Amino acid sequence: MTILAGVFRHDRQPVDEGWRRSLVGALSRDPRDVPQVIDRPGLLMAKVDVGVLGAPAFIDDGNAAIGAGEPLLGGSSAASTRQQDLKTLLRAHVAGEGVEAFLQARGTYAAAFYDLAGHRLCLANDRLGVRTLYYARLGDCVVFATARRILDALPFVPKRVDNAALHEWVTAEYCFENRTPYEGVFMLRGGERLLADADGARLTVDWDWASVPDDRPVTPEAVEELYQLFVEAVDLRLKGDTAARALLSGGLDSRMIVTELRRRGLEVRTLTLTWPRSLDAVLAEQYAAAIGTRHFMADVPRPLEYDISHYTEKFLRAEADYREVPGARPGLVWAGDGGSVCLGFVNTTPPLVEALRAGRYDEAARIHVERKFLRLRAKLLRREERERFAGYFETRIADILRSYGGRDPGRALQWFMMTTQERYQVSGLYENIDLRRIEYVMPLFDAWLAAAFQRFPLDECVGHKLYDRWMDRFPAVVRSVPWQAYAGHIASPLPLPDADIQWKPLSAEYHAQQRRTALARYHAVRKAGTERPPFVRPEMELAAYWFTRLGHSKLAYLLDAAAAYRAWWSGRSDL
């Protein structure tokens, strides 16, 4: 569990003392944390590590390195520690032989490496960019951090809002490609490294998901290889534990992980975070009984007021029998993130593939925008802003899809989602890891496993087709209980019990929770003294507030958007 940040000066001049105090002070909001700091002429790096993943990923012996998460180099179950992995990557950077070493990393991680003799900095993260690393180039400096709130807190980092990226964030809850709502503040893409020295900074691409060959036939041997890669992915992350905590839903991704843990004889305690009467609750409880885990259930609101890691941490803190598990490392929870997109191709539908293969990128973008409800909050915006960004999402996504360079144009949407959306599934955890103090163990984000699934023809993968073949390699118990499936994907052959599916029509309680969440967020930003952006219509913001407060749900989404616009415009993205 780690947070890191730093400043690199191209000219080797000392880092300003005020900058140093601001950066080190912003690392953690938990008074228990004592930052580790590396000072060199022209370099400041600092991190907080509370030890959930073992020895701190911290090297300070002339050359220097700090890391977050686990690189997990190689495929052996007898893998080295993350400290040893960090040393291996540091040696590769110093020797100028970085590409091959970095491609051996299978885990989710972010790290900074420094070569003292050459005054060279390298910033790197995993191939999917799950462990986000933000950076900004400020004149003679590069500033970086694993949490956006750290850059927010640094007075020397300008907070100039990029309106287009801000509209992306407010609408989709993520920014496309490598942008953030602030001009000049970017995210390192997965498989990309930033290299800085006395002459400046440049980006280098070690891994491009578009270049993965997709001509491997689906044979029994190939499916067996996929299963063995998954076994290795679990081995690499297990580290000799004899017990585990895991999230368990009514879908397949978490089920596969729990099944593999139980196949090894581990005691597993499972947790379902859901709302009452949900199909998730019923199916998870049935599968926990079938696979033999000690199962827990926690009610969460629908829609969620916070990201799922907030509720995981809350239950972990409240329930001793889930928290105190002999044989399991404290603070670690296994989770199924990454499976639906990376392995199940969930966003790639036949009409979309047909449009992409025919070169109808505008049509493909419209299909995706409609499926994901990516609509500009036009009613909230002044006329000039509405006109400026009319049709923005269709045009922007069409341009991104058009830039895909792989062999099969039909894969463009899969590529876009893997390189853009996937990193945001757990971004809330890493943004607030100093407060939540947990780590998710996510073997379905294993870089080698994800790459292996991309090597097969698209038509063999969409709709969970290849995933279904992969399931056959698991113990028969995985098919003994029905599961929830996405529309158009391979469904469970077993009948579903009578319960609420997650895609059911929205209930009155859903709308009531939506109003409560929108009002709470809006009150928080107003209490913080945030300003209204000049492009937001004050009369519509006021109408959204009063409609929502008086019990009408129709404008709650606009009130939520108004709160987000205010928070970003005032440089307070932690709200």
Side-chain angles (χ1 to χ4, degrees):
M1 179 187 306
T2 310
I3 312 153
L4 64 84
V7 177
F8 174 85
R9 291 194 57 119
H10 301 294
D11 57 10
R12 288 203 192 218
Q13 293 301 305
V15 174
D16 180 87
E17 182 58 29
W19 288 25
R20 185 187 192 281
R21 286 195 300 270
S22 296
L23 187 143
V24 175
L27 276 177
S28 177
R29 293 160 290 184
D30 191 312
R32 294 172 291 178
D33 290 331
V34 179
Q36 296 173 288
V37 179
I38 296 172
D39 268 319
R40 301 281 189 278
L43 176 75
L44 168 69
M45 298 199 300
K47 71 167 290 186
V48 164
D49 196 313
V50 299
V52 170
L53 294 174
F58 184 86
I59 300 170
D60 184 10
D61 59 2
N63 298 322
I66 54 176
E70 296 181 297
L72 299 176
L73 301 184
S76 169
S77 59
S80 57
T81 66
R82 65 178 184 146
Q83 182 77 351
Q84 291 168 325
D85 286 346
L86 200 69
K87 289 180 180 178
T88 298
L89 295 176
L90 176 58
R91 285 195 299 268
H93 169 60
V94 171
E97 302 170 351
V99 176
E100 290 305 318
F102 283 93
L103 288 180
Q104 293 299 308
R106 300 179 60 163
T108 55
Y109 79 99
F113 306 91
Y114 178 68
D115 167 25
L116 178 62
H119 188 54
R120 296 186 303 122
L121 175 74
C122 169
L123 302 180
N125 66 357
D126 55 87
R127 292 191 201 179
L128 287 160
V130 174
R131 202 89 184 202
T132 305
L133 192 53
Y134 298 92
Y135 67 90
R137 302 180 192 180
L138 308 176
D140 290 333
C141 301
V142 175
V143 183
F144 56 94
T146 52
R148 192 182 63 245
R149 62 171 178 80
I150 297 174
L151 297 184
D152 289 348
L154 302 181
F156 53 87
V157 176
K159 310 299 190 303
R160 295 184 299 269
V161 171
D162 177 339
N163 283 23
L166 178 56
H167 291 318
E168 292 173 6
W169 181 275
V170 171
T171 303
E173 296 186 346
Y174 61 87
C175 293
F176 302 158
E177 300 183 297
N178 67 336
R179 296 197 300 178
T180 74
Y182 292 142
E183 292 181 3
V185 178
F186 299 96
M187 299 173 293
L188 202 63
R189 302 171 194 256
E192 185 177 64
R193 285 181 294 145
L194 185 146
L195 303 174
D197 56 24
D199 297 323
R202 63 185 177 87
L203 294 169
T204 181
V205 178
D206 297 338
W207 177 265
D208 181 3
W209 287 98
S211 66
V212 178
D214 58 354
D215 53 359
R216 188 174 189 189
V218 179
T219 63
E221 294 76 19
V223 175
E224 171 65 21
E225 183 180 315
L226 290 178
Y227 178 66
Q228 291 305 320
L229 283 171
F230 177 66
V231 170
E232 289 179 6
V234 173
D235 280 338
L236 283 166
R237 291 158 177 81
L238 197 54
K239 305 290 185 185
D241 290 352
T242 58
R245 300 169 209 83
L247 299 181
L248 181 63
S249 72
L252 289 175
D253 299 331
S254 58
R255 178 179 297 193
M256 310 310 272
I257 293 168
V258 170
T259 302
E260 184 61 25
L261 294 172
R262 287 292 296 141
R263 187 181 70 82
R264 297 153 185 269
L266 269 71
E267 178 195 352
V268 181
R269 300 187 188 181
T270 48
L271 169 64
T272 301
L273 299 165
T274 188
W275 70 95
R277 306 177 304 279
S278 74
L279 191 57
D280 255 338
V282 176
L283 295 177
E285 186 173 27
Q286 289 181 3
Y287 194 70
I291 198 68
T293 72
R294 185 175 177 188
H295 191 59
F296 299 84
M297 195 82 63
D299 292 345
V300 298
R302 180 174 182 253
L304 296 178
E305 185 175 357
Y306 306 99
D307 70 276
I308 202 71
S309 66
H310 166 86
Y311 302 100
T312 306
E313 183 272 334
K314 182 179 179 181
F315 187 82
L316 194 69
R317 180 161 31 88
E319 181 55 64
D321 285 344
Y322 190 70
R323 182 179 65 249
E324 307 296 336
V325 184
R329 283 168 288 168
L332 292 184
V333 179
W334 292 71
D337 296 271
S340 295
V341 170
C342 297
L343 281 58
F345 291 64
V346 68
N347 295 287
T348 304
T349 64
L352 197 147
V353 172
E354 179 184 352
L356 289 170
R357 285 175 172 165
R360 301 194 301 269
Y361 293 100
D362 293 338
E363 179 184 336
R366 283 195 300 272
I367 292 172
H368 184 66
V369 164
E370 289 169 5
R371 289 186 72 242
K372 294 293 184 180
F373 305 104
L374 300 179
R375 297 294 183 190
L376 190 71
R377 305 304 189 238
K379 292 181 180 179
L380 192 63
L381 307 179
R382 294 186 185 275
R383 179 174 58 83
E384 296 83 357
E385 193 77 2
R386 292 199 305 273
E387 293 176 352
R388 179 184 173 193
F389 288 98
Y392 171 79
F393 289 96
E394 291 87 347
T395 302
R396 177 91 166 96
I397 292 173
D399 288 343
I400 293 173
L401 297 177
R402 203 173 277 115
S403 70
Y404 175 69
R407 295 187 345 141
D408 181 357
R411 305 182 78 97
L413 197 279
Q414 169 74 1
W415 165 76
F416 170 56
M417 299 305 286
M418 285 185 66
T419 57
T420 297
Q421 178 186 297
E422 279 301 89
R423 62 169 57 200
Y424 288 99
Q425 290 190 101
V426 289
S427 60
L429 170 62
Y430 298 135
E431 192 69 23
N432 295 296
I433 202 166
D434 56 324
L435 302 179
R436 304 210 174 133
R437 309 185 83 79
I438 63 172
E439 283 272 5
Y440 283 155
V441 187
M442 301 177 292
L444 299 184
F445 271 135
D446 184 271
W448 290 13
L449 179 65
F453 265 84
Q454 307 312 305
R455 291 193 57 195
F456 298 90
L458 180 64
D459 295 330
E460 300 291 339
C461 300
V462 294
H464 274 76
K465 290 179 185 176
L466 181 58
Y467 196 119
D468 189 69
R469 295 278 298 274
W470 180 59
M471 281 178 66
D472 288 338
R473 288 295 299 111
F474 286 76
V477 66
V478 299
R479 295 185 183 273
S480 67
V481 172
W483 60 86
Q484 289 196 82
Y486 293 94
H489 290 239
I490 293 178
S492 167
L494 300 175
L496 293 173
D498 183 20
D500 293 346
I501 63 172
Q502 58 179 302
W503 304 287
K504 69 167 289 187
L506 304 182
S507 65
E509 175 54 32
Y510 180 98
H511 288 298
Q513 177 60 33
Q514 185 184 42
R515 293 193 300 272
R516 289 192 293 268
T517 299
L519 286 167
R521 290 173 177 168
Y522 187 72
H523 286 149
V525 296
R526 290 302 303 270
K527 184 178 180 181
T530 56
E531 298 178 5
R532 180 190 305 112
F535 54 75
V536 169
R537 298 166 62 193
E539 69 277 13
M540 184 55 68
E541 180 180 319
L542 185 63
Y545 173 75
W546 280 109
F547 260 76
T548 305
R549 184 172 174 179
L550 293 174
H552 302 285
S553 299
K554 188 175 182 179
L555 298 183
Y557 78 102
L558 287 183
L559 185 63
D560 212 29
Y565 280 127
R566 279 178 171 269
W568 278 105
W569 196 259
S570 300
R572 294 291 301 281
S573 59
D574 57 318
L575 294 175

